[in-house]
Amino acid sequence: MEQARIERVKKNSAGDITDVMINGNVYNIGEAIMMAKDGRIAGVNVARARNGREYLRSNPDATAENNLDNLPTL
């Protein structure tokens, strides 16, 4: 199975990512987290905040441009 990459993100007024675009399709963050857990999204992992909420995080590398917060917005 080939992994897809997140192309664009949508953020709410607090700056939290609410939706992502993958291969031209938009998924809400819950769907994207499930896809990442299934290994269908490259370059990200699922992390857990102190309050227990899961979120997507870019895998660490030397390139800031591919960080989720730096991707183009929807």
Side-chain angles (χ1 to χ4, degrees):
M1 170 178 28
E2 187 175 325
Q3 292 180 314
R5 290 209 171 265
I6 296 174
E7 304 158 0
R8 294 179 175 271
V9 297
K10 182 177 181 181
K11 298 178 184 181
N12 63 18
S13 59
D16 298 323
I17 295 172
T18 60
D19 301 272
V20 298
M21 178 182 281
I22 301 170
N23 293 333
N25 298 308
V26 177
Y27 301 92
N28 70 48
I29 196 65
E31 293 171 314
I33 287 171
M34 294 306 297
M35 291 170 72
K37 285 182 175 182
D38 289 342
R40 299 186 324 191
I41 304 175
V44 299
N45 62 79
V46 178
R48 188 174 298 275
R50 289 186 193 141
N51 65 6
R53 181 181 61 89
E54 291 182 319
Y55 65 97
L56 287 180
R57 183 171 67 183
S58 301
N59 291 339
D61 62 15
T63 306
E65 291 83 34
N66 63 1
N67 291 348
L68 294 177
D69 279 336
N70 295 336
L71 292 177
T73 57
L74 292 170

